[in-house]
């Protein structure tokens, strides 16, 4: 029989998942505009895939990062024969990173992370107040 998941574990796992989401967005933004000599070698946007887990013992659901996948558009082919990365036809392939979407994802991740920090702070305050009642 397993121990029930606590609110702190639930919020902590959610924070960890949002941190992974924020890190993938940061990686995508860092690679925006990068070029390569082939479509296969060009940077591809990455995104985390989340998995919800239900804990029957506590009745709480939590989230984990299941894996990180490539997502988004295919790299953009651009004719640039002067570029040292150009292929034999003079084309380079630019990473198709939607910078606006990545910034929105990053802000959303930061807000969700902060919400989980507040959940932990509220739970801690309630536990402390409950302990004070026992005095």
């Amino acid at each position: 029989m397993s121990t029930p998941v606590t609110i702190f574990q639930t919020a902590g796992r959610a924070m960890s998942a949002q941190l992974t989401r924020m890190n993938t967005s940061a990686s995508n933004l860092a690679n925006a505009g990068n070029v390569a000599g082939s479509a296969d070698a060009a940077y591809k946007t990455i995104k985390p895939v989340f998995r919800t887990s239900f804990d029957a013992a506590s009745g709480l659901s939590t989230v984990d990062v299941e894996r990180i996948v490539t997502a988004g558009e295919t790299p953009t082919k651009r004719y640039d024969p002067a570029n040292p990365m150009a292929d034999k036809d003079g084309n380079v392939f630019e990473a198709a990173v939607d910078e606006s979407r990545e910034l929105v994802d990053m802000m959303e991740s930061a807000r969700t992370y902060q919400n989980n920090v507040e959940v932990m702070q509220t739970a801690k305050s309630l536990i402390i107040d409950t302990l004070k009642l026992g005095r």
Side-chain angles (χ1 to χ4, degrees):
M1 185 171 213
S2 64
T3 309
V5 174
T6 68
I7 190 70
F8 296 105
Q9 291 169 321
T10 301
R13 287 165 77 175
M15 290 168 63
S16 178
Q18 291 307 318
L19 185 58
T20 299
R21 183 177 173 202
M22 211 177 303
N23 284 336
T24 57
S25 289
S27 179
N28 293 337
L29 285 169
N31 284 287
N34 283 1
V35 295
S38 71
D40 290 337
Y43 180 82
K44 292 165 186 70
T45 303
I46 56 174
K47 295 288 179 190
V49 175
F50 299 117
R51 179 178 35 100
T52 302
S53 302
F54 177 72
D55 181 53
S58 65
L60 297 174
S61 291
T62 187
V63 67
D64 293 305
V65 176
E66 188 172 300
R67 65 186 182 279
I68 296 178
V69 298
T70 57
E73 303 294 319
T74 57
T76 306
K77 182 166 86 171
R78 186 177 74 228
Y79 184 70
D80 187 2
N83 190 313
M85 299 288 293
D87 66 6
K88 62 180 175 43
D89 299 323
N91 296 310
V92 292
F93 296 82
E94 186 175 344
V97 175
D98 185 342
E99 294 173 71
S100 297
R101 175 177 283 170
E102 295 303 326
L103 288 170
V104 168
D105 279 353
M106 193 173 270
M107 288 187 325
E108 198 174 275
S109 298
R111 285 188 188 128
T112 304
Y113 187 94
Q114 182 59 38
N115 288 344
N116 281 290
V117 168
E118 290 174 19
V119 165
M120 290 179 118
Q121 289 172 337
T122 301
K124 177 183 157 194
S125 294
L126 290 171
I127 290 169
I128 290 170
D129 290 345
T130 302
L131 291 172
K132 286 178 184 176
L133 287 174
R135 289 185 190 172

